[in-house]
Amino acid sequence: MKEKLTIMMCALLLISPAVSAQSFAGGDGTSGNPYQIATATQLSDVRNYPTKSYILNNDIDLSSYQTSPGWFPICGTGPSFSGDFDGNGYKITGLVIDRSSTQYVGLFGYTVLGTIKNLGIEGASVKGSMDVGVLAGITNGGTVTNCYAKGTILPGTSNSHVGGLIGQATNNFSPARTSSINNCYASVSITATTGQFIGGLIGYLTATTTSGNKTNVDKCYSVGAVTRAAPYGSGFIADSYIANGGSVSVTNSYWDKDASGNTFSPFGTSKTTAEMKTQGTFSGWDFTASTGVWEIVSGYYPRLQIVQDNALPVELTSLTADVAGKNIELNWKTATETNNYGFEIERAIDNGQLTMKSWSKIGFVEGNGTTNAPKSYSFVDKSANGKTSYRLKQIDRDGKYEYSQQVEVSIAAPKAFALEQNYPNPFNPTTAIGYQLSANSFTTLKVYDAIGREVVTLINEVKEAGTYSAQFDGAKLSSGIYFAKLTSDRKTQMKKLLLLK
């Protein structure tokens, strides 16, 4: 049964506080002279004056707002945004939102009769509960045009009404209105384990309340992976709800069924990756050079002429992390590669303060150089604990690099204290010694020779409960029998190791 949407309208400001012109880079907030935004702080100030007009005059980096829980959505609570926001062909990068139990999550939380246009968002990592999108949680009426979103949406507590660009696009006004999303796209990897109405571009379309209300989507596409299977998840738009004479329509719109990994959508037309990179696929779209809306760079998806995304040498279409017994298995895919040296795998343990300084390299996977064929990669982390985040550092052969979006996974702490048999065994000259700790405690892992002399101390510190692996290098030792001894939480275990040269 389709869920009937109940929209609680957020009241507009009855009295607007006096706006200091000095708080923005210029303008007076009118449609003819919008406030100019040049910094992250000025962008955050938009929430204080939600009925005004704005224009970017610079790319905006939100990395200063990445400390958990990250960016607070503009008009996520209180008055909704009903103004005009013109990205002016600029991009917003570094958007991080970690609010797993929060509704109305995105750069904008809730817009009512607002306009958002000419804006790109790249490098986003977003987590919310319901009505979640990189650009906006909900757009109610109004227009979204010439916008795109790139990044990752991670699972929250309920995962309902989730879309790569917009969580829910609705229209419930009287008298009747038409709201529209046109000339937009999303390349957002969405991971959802529960919930419904989860789509690569938009989670849910609705038009209710008054006969003649319309919610229209035209000339849009999505290419991101969506893990939630049908009927709850969709490669493009998951579902719709109409009542009292309202209507929804989706025209001239497409989604990449290969990149999505999800073959279902009640709206839009599914295409292969190769078709999505061919201009002839996009019937009715304006590809007029210099003066049109769209363009295609050879080997890539269409992009907007007014706000051009960065056509990366390596096009990553998905990145997932899954628990596999005691390990975490990472899998990722590329659509195309140019000059790809490979991928460094980076990990961060979630301590509530996930910043750039938290990341550490744990492995490397070689790339495929230059290829137009889709490629798949994997990596197994055998020493993950608790809630852990991963990302890829893709490195070109000339040393340039780009980071992927992060994915998050949790692995339960072991129930028992255990020292595992080293592998390989016999070994020459190195071997891995795995162990499990069921409680936080001061821990030592030492290696002794056959007559009880200590050879090396591998671990001598407080460790949290979890699964670990330590490397033992016997290059400078003679062949023979050795013993590994693990001590933690007043427990001890030993294993015999055999070094054969």
Side-chain angles (χ1 to χ4, degrees), residues 33 60 77 202 255 271 316 338 367:
N33 188 23
I60 303 296
T77 60
I202 301 171
W255 53 285
K271 297 291 182 179
L316 189 70
T338 302

Side-chain angles (χ1 to χ4, degrees), residues 328 346-355 357-360 362 381 383-390 407-409 411 464-465 467-468:
I328 301 297
E346 295 189 356
R347 180 180 69 189
I349 305 300
D350 187 356
N351 58 6
Q353 300 291 324
L354 271 182
T355 65
K357 296 181 180 179
S358 304
W359 297 95
S360 60
I362 61 169
D381 182 6
S383 58
N385 302 292
K387 184 186 291 185
T388 307
S389 294
Y390 298 90
V407 292
E408 183 181 280
V409 68
I411 188 168
E464 294 184 357
T467 300
Y468 298 91

Side-chain angles (χ1 to χ4, degrees), residues 69-82:
W71 175 261
F72 190 79
I74 296 172
C75 299
T77 60
S80 51
F81 180 77
S82 60

Side-chain angles (χ1 to χ4, degrees), residues 135-309:
L135 179 67
I138 285 185
T139 59
N140 189 358
T143 300
V144 177
T145 186
N146 294 346
C147 293
Y148 74 84
K150 288 189 168 187
T152 300
I153 294 180
L154 301 169
T157 55
S158 66
N159 302 310
S160 293
H161 306 150
V162 178
L165 186 74
I166 300 168
Q168 181 177 181
T170 186
N171 195 341
N172 63 351
F173 289 94
S174 179
R177 297 175 180 269
T178 297
S179 63
S180 63
I181 297 92
N182 59 79
N183 292 318
C184 294
Y185 66 95
S187 178
V188 178
S189 176
I190 303 175
T191 302
T193 55
T194 61
Q196 55 186 339
F197 312 127
I198 297 164
L201 183 79
I202 301 171
Y204 205 40
L205 295 179
T206 72
T208 64
T209 306
T210 304
S211 178
N213 269 340
K214 298 178 181 179
T215 303
N216 297 338
V217 177
D218 184 52
K219 299 181 183 65
C220 295
Y221 76 84
S222 66
V223 299
V226 179
T227 61
R228 187 70 166 149
Y232 306 111
S234 161
F236 190 59
I237 298 172
D239 210 339
S240 65
Y241 178 78
I242 57 177
N244 302 316
S247 67
V248 301
S249 70
V250 178
T251 53
N252 304 309
S253 295
Y254 308 89
W255 53 285
D256 188 330
K257 62 183 179 181
D258 297 334
S260 169
N262 193 309
T263 58
F264 167 76
S265 178
F267 299 99
T269 302
S270 65
K271 297 291 182 179
T272 65
T273 297
E275 290 172 325
M276 291 290 291
K277 296 179 179 181
T278 303
Q279 182 174 316
T281 295
F282 301 91
S283 177
W285 292 31
D286 185 358
F287 285 93
T288 305
S290 301
T291 60
V293 177
W294 297 93
E295 67 177 8
I296 280 189
V297 177
S298 179
Y300 295 92
Y301 297 105
R303 67 181 186 179
L304 296 163
Q305 290 193 37
I306 191 169
V307 50
Q308 296 180 353
D309 64 353

